[in-house]
Amino acid sequence: MSSDQSLRINDLCKSYGGAPVLDRFSLRVAPGEFVALLGPSGAGKTTLLRCVAGLIAPDSGEIMLGRQPMHLLTGAALRRARHDIGFVFQQFNLVRRRTALGNVLTGRLSDVALWRIVLGRFPDADRRAAFSALERVGLLDQAWQRADSLSGGQQQRVAIARALVQRSRLMLADEPVASLDPAAAESVLSLLREVAREHEMSVLCSLHQPALAERYADRICAIAAARGPLTIA
Amino acid sequence: MSPWRGVRFGLILLAVAAFYAFCIAFAEIDLSRLWRGLPRLGAWAARAWPPDFSDFPALLTRAAETIAMATLGATVGALIAAPLCLLAARNTAPVSFLQLPARWLLDALRGIDSFVFALLFVAAVGLGPFAGVLGIALHSAGSIAKLWSESIESVERGPIEAAMMSGAGRLRIIVHALLPDVLPSLSSSMLYIWEFNLRASTVLGLVGAGGIGQELKSSIDLLDFPRVLAILLIIMAMVTAVDQLSALIRRRIA
C-alpha cells in the first residue's frame, strides 16, 4: 500500500461545554502501523477515536484517511468512508440476540440487498467471508452461539472478526481490553496485532496500561488531558 | 417534625378534599337514588338466573367475530404503527422535523377511543364488524406506535454504532442491529394491545360495529336478562382465555 493510505490528524480540537478535551492534537499513523494511545481516563482518547470514525464532529482541525477528509464528510459520503474503518469498542457492542455469525455479518451490511437482511439470507460469498473470519479469531465452533452467551474475550474476538469481514484499512480500538481479565486481554491484543499485520491494516488503539502498550504497539502516543478546568482525576 | 411541615400537610389534605368535593358534586353522586334502584337491580338479577344458552351457536359466532375484530384491528394497527414509531423515536427518526408531527399524530390516534372511531366508520362504511376493525386499527396504531417507540428509544446505542461503522444506511442498521434486541418487547406490546382490544371491542356492538356487543345491546333492549347473563359469561370466558394465552406467550418470549 502506498503512503496515501495513512491516517493523518492535524491540530484537532474538541471541547464540551467550553471545557477543551482535545487541544490541537496531531498524530500520524502509517499503513500497517500499530499505534497505542496511552493516557488516563478523561484525556480525550475516546473523543479522538470517535472523531476519526465520524461519530462526532471535531470543532476544528483535520482528519485525513488516505485522500478522504473525514472531518468534512457527511451523509452518504461519510457512510462510504466508514466502510474503510473498523471499530472495536470497550463494551464489544454486539447485537445480543444475534449469533456470533450474525454479528460478524454486520460488517457486510452495506453491500447486501435489504430483503436479504430482512430474511437473514446473506449471499454465500459474505457467509464464507464471515466463517473464515470466525475461524481466524478461533471461534468457528461458536458460530451459532448467541452473542450474549459468549465470554467477554470471545465477544471481543467476534467484534474483531466483524471488522475483518469489512476489509477495513484502519482499525480503531477504544480500550478494547479494559473489560477483560488479564489473560483474555493479552490474547485479544495479540490477535489484534496479528490480523493487523496479515491485512496491512493500521491500528489506533487506546489503552491505559503502559505495560500492554509497550508489549503490543509499534509506537506509543501519550495523550494528556488538555489544558482547562479538568476536575476529574 | 417542624410546625411548617404540619401546616403544609394540612393544606395538601384540604386541597385533595376540596377536589373530591368538586368531583362528587359534578358527578351528581346521589346515594338515595342508588338505594331506590337496588330492588329493581335485584329483581333483574333474580330473573336472569338461569342463564339462557339456547342461542349458544349464534352467540359463539358473535364471540368469534369479536376475536376476529380485535386480532385484525391490532394487526392493521401494527402495520400503521411500524413506520410511525420509527419516525417518532428519537434514535431512529430520519429527520428531526418529522419527529414532533409523528408524535402528535400518534397521540391523536391514541387519544381517540376505538369506540369513537367505530362510530365514524359505521357512518362511513355501514354497520358490521368491518367498521369495528377499522376503528380498532386506528386507535391501536397510536397505542402500538407509542409503546414501540418507547422500546426503541430505550435500546443500547452501542450495537447501532458498531453497525454504523459498516457504512450501511439507516434501514439496514435498524433491521439487522436494532430489531433483534427489541423484538421481544415489541411482540409483548402487541399482545398486550390485542388483549386490550378484545375487552374494548365487546362494547363496539353498541354502535353497530359488530361482535358480541351487538347481541348484548339487543338483549338489554328487550330486557331479556337470562340472555344478557349468558352473553356476559361468554365474554368473561373469552377475555380470560385470551389474557391467559397472551400472558403465556409473553412469558415465553421475554
Side-chain angles (χ1 to χ4, degrees):
Chain A
M1 264 183 215
S2 68
S3 63
D4 207 19
Q5 308 297 333
S6 64
L7 170 69
R8 298 181 304 283
I9 301 167
N10 292 321
D11 287 337
L12 202 67
C13 295
K14 177 74 187 177
S15 58
Y16 289 109
V21 177
L22 292 171
D23 187 17
R24 297 170 61 86
F25 182 88
S26 299
L27 176 69
R28 190 188 159 108
V29 183
E33 192 181 23
F34 191 130
V35 174
L37 272 175
L38 193 61
S41 53
K45 305 191 293 288
T46 298
T47 302
L48 173 66
L49 291 168
R50 293 173 71 84
C51 281
V52 175
L55 291 170
I56 49 178
D59 298 335
S60 63
E62 53 173 30
I63 301 165
M64 301 293 295
L65 178 58
R67 263 171 294 185
Q68 299 264 35
M70 293 300 296
H71 57 292
L72 296 179
L73 300 178
T74 54
L78 176 61
R79 286 207 299 273
R80 269 195 303 278
R82 277 198 187 123
H83 192 74
D84 287 335
I85 304 175
F87 205 120
V88 175
F89 300 83
Q90 178 178 347
Q91 294 305 331
F92 327 129
N93 290 357
L94 302 185
V95 182
R96 291 167 202 265
R97 294 172 59 87
R98 283 218 181 272
T99 59
L101 181 67
N103 271 289
V104 175
L105 284 166
T106 302
R108 286 297 178 96
L109 224 47
S110 65
D111 305 327
V112 178
L114 187 61
W115 69 268
R116 284 183 172 277
I117 298 170
V118 172
L119 299 178
R121 299 185 66 87
F122 280 78
D124 283 340
D126 292 329
R127 293 167 65 86
R128 273 197 300 276
F131 276 120
S132 77
L134 278 169
E135 187 172 26
R136 179 61 195 86
V137 301
L139 286 176
L140 192 55
D141 54 336
Q142 306 288 327
W144 301 104
Q145 289 294 315
R146 246 173 68 160
D148 55 6
S149 71
L150 301 174
S151 72
Q154 287 174 325
Q155 290 194 43
Q156 200 58 299
R157 287 164 173 272
V158 171
I160 291 172
R162 178 178 63 195
L164 277 183
V165 294
Q166 205 171 313
R167 297 203 200 89
S168 37
R169 294 179 296 171
L170 171 68
M171 176 88 91
L172 303 173
D174 187 14
E175 294 281 4
V177 300
S179 305
L180 302 178
D181 63 67
E186 297 270 349
S187 78
V188 161
L189 281 177
S190 59
L191 176 68
L192 204 53
R193 186 175 61 177
E194 283 166 26
V195 298
R197 285 192 181 149
E198 288 161 20
H199 297 265
E200 277 188 76
M201 193 164 50
S202 316
V203 178
L204 183 56
C205 171
S206 71
L207 294 167
H208 64 272
Q209 291 157 284
L212 287 177
E214 267 165 38
R215 196 142 64 247
Y216 292 101
D218 300 320
R219 189 154 63 83
I220 295 175
C221 168
I223 176 169
R227 290 183 308 272
L230 187 74
T231 48
I232 310 157
Chain B
M1 207 160 86
S2 77
W4 277 114
R5 292 186 60 177
V7 170
R8 208 177 61 175
F9 183 70
L11 284 175
I12 290 172
L13 216 59
L14 209 66
V16 171
F19 183 59
Y20 269 102
F22 159 85
C23 291
I24 288 168
F26 270 75
E28 297 176 15
I29 300 298
D30 183 353
L31 289 178
S32 64
R33 269 165 63 197
L34 175 62
W35 183 248
R36 284 196 301 276
L38 273 182
R40 212 179 316 165
L41 280 175
W44 288 350
R47 269 162 55 200
W49 193 263
D52 172 16
F53 282 108
S54 61
D55 231 2
F56 195 58
L59 293 184
L60 271 194
T61 312
R62 290 300 210 169
E65 209 173 275
T66 297
I67 292 179
M69 281 160 61
T71 309
L72 291 178
T75 311
V76 175
L79 292 178
I80 302 172
L84 208 53
C85 74
L86 292 179
L87 287 178
R90 206 181 323 111
N91 51 346
T92 53
V95 272
S96 48
F97 69 85
L98 276 179
Q99 197 188 339
L100 269 182
R103 286 194 179 191
W104 289 332
L105 178 59
L106 68 85
D107 280 336
L109 291 174
R110 210 166 53 99
I112 301 171
D113 201 78
S114 328
F115 194 82
V116 178
F117 278 130
L119 209 58
L120 293 172
F121 280 117
V122 165
V125 304
L127 294 169
F130 182 51
V133 170
L134 294 174
I136 296 172
L138 280 194
H139 177 70
S140 299
S143 306
I144 294 175
K146 174 88 175 167
L147 292 170
W148 281 4
S149 65
E150 278 167 7
S151 299
I152 289 172
E153 282 182 353
S154 69
V155 83
E156 276 185 288
R157 179 138 185 84
I160 311 240
E161 282 188 344
M164 279 165 72
M165 292 313 297
S166 72
R170 183 180 306 272
L171 222 46
R172 287 175 168 75
I173 294 172
I174 288 173
V175 171
H176 190 79
L178 186 139
L179 225 43
D181 278 348
V182 295
L183 215 47
S185 85
L186 300 192
S187 325
S188 178
S189 310
M190 181 154 166
L191 284 167
Y192 170 75
I193 294 296
W194 180 53
E195 275 174 51
F196 176 86
N197 280 346
L198 188 74
R199 290 189 298 267
S201 59
T202 53
V203 298
L204 286 183
L206 298 184
V207 294
I212 199 158
Q214 211 139 319
E215 297 295 327
L216 188 64
K217 180 171 161 42
S218 63
S219 301
I220 292 178
D221 287 349
L222 296 169
L223 302 179
D224 185 351
F225 296 110
R227 200 153 179 274
V228 169
L229 182 57
I231 293 168
L232 290 180
L233 289 173
I234 290 173
I235 290 176
M236 272 159 62
M238 180 175 76
V239 167
T240 310
V242 166
D243 279 5
Q244 295 292 323
L245 179 64
S246 159
L248 181 81
I249 302 173
R250 283 195 278 157
R251 268 200 304 278
R252 291 290 293 275
I253 57 180

